[in-house]
Amino acid sequence: MTLDVVIVGAGPNGLLLACELRLAGVPVLLLERSPGLGGEPRANGLLGRVVQAMDLRGLYEPLAGRPGPPAPTPWFQFGGLPLDLSGLAGNPLFALPVPQARIQQVLAERARALGAEIRHEHEVTGFAQDDDGVVVTVRAPGGEQRLRTRWLVGADGGHSLVRKHAGIDFPGGTDDRFISHLGHAVIPADRLGPDGVLTLQDGRRLRPFVHNRLPGGVFTYARLGDTGAAHLVAAMEWTGPRPDGAPVTFADLRAAVDRVLDGMLPLGSPAGPAPLLRRLACVNLRQAASYRAGRVLLLGDAAHVHPAVGGPGLNLGLQDALNLGWKLAAEVRGWAPPGLLDTYQTERAPVGRRVALQSRAQLALLAPGDDMTAARDLLAELLRREHTRRDVAALLAGADQPYDMGQPDPHPATGAWLPDLLPALTDGRAAVLDRIRAGRPVLVELADGAAAAATGWADRVDVVPARGALDAAALLVRPDGHVAWAGADGLADALGRWFGSPASP
């Protein structure tokens, strides 16, 4: 039997891709080498457009644990510098603090509910592809297996076996100038205010969830998930001792915090089993030379790795999944127009390069030295200007570079992000959201008769009548929430470009 799609890796990116494929009716199998969902803290939440995207799929409320739509965050940071967004009209930056373990749990539940199959303790050890599919070798509890699939997706992280075995180059570099220690620790309760602000013994005040830059390095702390009295703390040093290869201990974490904070914060060891301890001696910044090799595709960290500062990772990876899902489903179901799957890389690779740029800049801003202090002071001055704050917020949100929809003279709404347009709809908004939530392309008909040309695509594109303050006869919205076409003329061409040939009468 030949499977349609096999995804290697059941992290958030692989799980969301499975959900997208199942929404389109495509059978999917996820292979995960670990025995269960990972519980180790990694990402601390969602940042940017992906928060709105989760709302478009009905996943925001389960992740947030509260009803209602997301709201823009009133503040954030850029390289540890405060970014006040509280009075910014049209603020594009959304944030949702939620542990990655919870994200994986919610996505796994959704994937299974939609009919995806997840096999744990199944490790892919190799594969061979031909023109029609891929034969995958799997190490499983019952012995070695071979599976044949039409498409193989590597969502198996920065050390991706899929990428390596496909022969895809991973150019970039490694920054080993600093060392980070991270782990669970107990901060004295008398040092924490009601707002979570930490006061050191010398009176200095540090904020949670912020890269607090100090002469000795950078200190970060936050309470994430159910960790009892413990916080997740991290100390980043540019001049600390190099690791000797021995396993990291709590004493190592405490010593690093002492060096960064001049011994001003005594830390307690948390009670309970095996608290998290991690040491990072370098950070990689690399991007795959291609996101595809034949019938093998890369997703998330398998395609790009970058500094974690600023929290862009899941915004990037999960939107990779949203972009790829409907396009791969179109290939499987046989209606994809020529070149559709290639737009996965042409659209997402530039976004990956943009994330690499801004995360590297933020990392540089955290480095010690008087020269960098001067650069930070100048940037802080610029961030007091509204247009600069807006540009930086859009950069962090992944909203500063719209996709090129391939039209020579597009309507201004072409390439727009659907959530930005929804407030302008006075009628039909709920129906549009219902169809997008189901992962369907939507033709929003704003003028009577504007959707007449779409009859041949009724099996793939839902027409929803609506009204609103938008200067367009109709909007053609892709399943990932991006407007592929807007206006009055050229609808049939746009439908063919994105959704293939019309069905035979």
Side-chain angles (χ1 to χ4, degrees):
M1 181 182 72
T2 299
L3 304 169
D4 284 315
V5 179
V6 169
I7 301 172
V8 182
N13 300 320
L15 288 167
L16 182 60
L17 179 62
C19 292
E20 293 295 293
L21 291 168
R22 289 303 303 138
L23 283 174
V26 174
V28 60
L29 169 65
L30 293 103
L31 301 176
E32 170 57 50
R33 67 180 181 179
S34 69
L37 294 176
E40 182 178 292
R42 291 186 181 274
N44 301 329
L46 302 178
L47 177 74
R49 276 190 166 173
V50 73
V51 178
Q52 295 170 291
M54 293 299 97
D55 192 43
L56 290 180
R57 287 296 188 266
L59 289 162
Y60 175 78
E61 290 187 356
L63 288 169
R66 59 179 181 272
T73 183
W75 73 274
F76 202 67
Q77 59 175 323
F78 186 83
L81 294 169
L83 187 62
D84 183 2
L85 306 173
S86 57
L88 189 66
N91 177 7
L93 190 59
F94 290 72
L96 175 60
V98 55
Q100 180 166 320
R102 175 60 180 163
I103 296 171
Q104 288 187 227
Q105 179 187 12
V106 168
L107 290 176
E109 290 172 356
R110 177 64 60 90
R112 288 192 175 101
L114 290 169
E117 182 181 359
I118 305 173
R119 297 180 187 173
H120 286 278
E121 296 184 277
H122 281 62
E123 181 179 4
V124 171
T125 58
F127 59 85
Q129 65 169 310
D130 53 40
D131 291 341
D132 300 318
V134 185
V135 176
V136 186
T137 305
V138 184
R139 183 184 297 123
E144 186 175 272
Q145 302 176 357
R146 281 181 173 79
L147 307 173
R148 183 169 179 83
T149 180
R150 295 172 64 187
W151 294 94
L152 180 68
V153 180
D156 51 341
H159 299 287
S160 171
L161 178 142
V162 173
R163 184 190 65 244
K164 295 173 183 176
H165 202 76
I168 298 174
D169 289 339
F170 204 39
T174 299
D175 187 342
D176 59 0
R177 295 173 297 173
F178 65 90
I179 298 174
S180 291
H181 287 83
L182 178 146
H184 288 134
V186 178
I187 297 174
D190 62 351
R191 295 292 176 189
L192 294 168
D195 55 359
V197 171
L198 170 63
T199 303
L200 301 179
Q201 292 176 351
D202 61 0
R204 285 178 294 175
R205 291 165 59 82
L206 308 179
R207 293 181 61 183
F209 295 98
V210 170
H211 292 93
N212 296 280
R213 180 178 180 262
L214 301 150
V218 175
F219 178 72
T220 310
Y221 71 101
R223 178 163 281 157
L224 298 168
D226 184 16
T227 57
H231 282 71
L232 188 63
V233 304
M236 182 186 298
E237 302 174 89
W238 276 259
T239 58
R242 305 304 299 180
D244 57 7
V248 62
T249 66
F250 185 78
D252 295 328
L253 172 64
R254 182 156 45 196
V257 171
D258 282 345
R259 289 190 295 268
V260 170
L261 298 182
D262 297 324
M264 294 289 178
L265 182 67
L267 291 180
S269 179
L276 171 70
L277 286 169
R278 190 187 303 158
R279 178 169 51 214
L280 181 67
C282 63
V283 63
N284 288 309
L285 199 156
R286 299 178 182 273
Q287 186 164 359
S290 174
Y291 286 18
R292 176 185 176 187
R295 290 184 168 269
V296 177
L297 296 136
L298 302 180
L299 177 67
D301 287 356
H304 41 67
V305 292
H306 47 75
V309 59
L314 284 181
N315 186 28
L316 182 59
L318 292 174
Q319 288 200 83
D320 286 349
L322 291 166
N323 188 288
L324 175 60
W326 69 275
K327 296 173 181 178
L328 182 55
E331 289 284 345
V332 171
R333 300 187 68 182
W335 57 256
L340 177 66
L341 198 54
D342 293 333
T343 66
Y344 168 54
Q345 174 165 334
T346 59
E347 290 180 351
R348 294 306 297 166
V351 181
R353 289 191 288 271
R354 196 72 171 158
V355 167
L357 173 70
Q358 58 99 338
S359 61
R360 190 171 190 174
Q362 291 194 71
L363 182 61
L365 285 167
L366 296 174
D370 293 341
D371 290 345
M372 187 52 64
T373 298
R376 290 172 59 87
D377 290 344
L378 179 59
L379 181 56
E381 180 181 317
L382 295 174
L383 288 174
R384 290 197 286 269
R385 302 176 183 179
E386 181 174 329
H387 72 275
T388 305
R389 294 199 305 275
R390 184 186 306 280
D391 288 347
V392 172
L395 173 68
L396 292 171
D400 61 325
Q401 289 189 339
Y403 295 151
D404 180 1
M405 297 300 176
Q407 298 177 33
D409 187 22
H411 184 280
T414 300
W417 175 232
L418 179 63
D420 294 341
L421 303 180
L422 286 175
L425 294 182
T426 55
D427 184 49
R429 185 188 308 175
V432 171
L433 283 171
D434 179 67
R435 295 293 79 209
I436 288 289
R437 187 154 290 172
R440 296 278 294 178
V442 178
L443 180 59
V444 183
E445 188 181 45
L446 297 166
D448 292 339
T455 303
W457 287 269
D459 60 325
R460 278 155 274 167
V461 180
D462 294 336
V463 175
V464 177
R467 292 293 180 269
L470 290 169
D471 183 23
L475 306 172
L476 181 60
V477 185
R478 307 187 326 184
D480 58 4
H482 293 272
V483 177
W485 168 91
D489 300 319
L491 173 57
D493 288 342
L495 286 163
R497 172 179 172 79
W498 293 106
F499 304 111
S501 302
S504 301

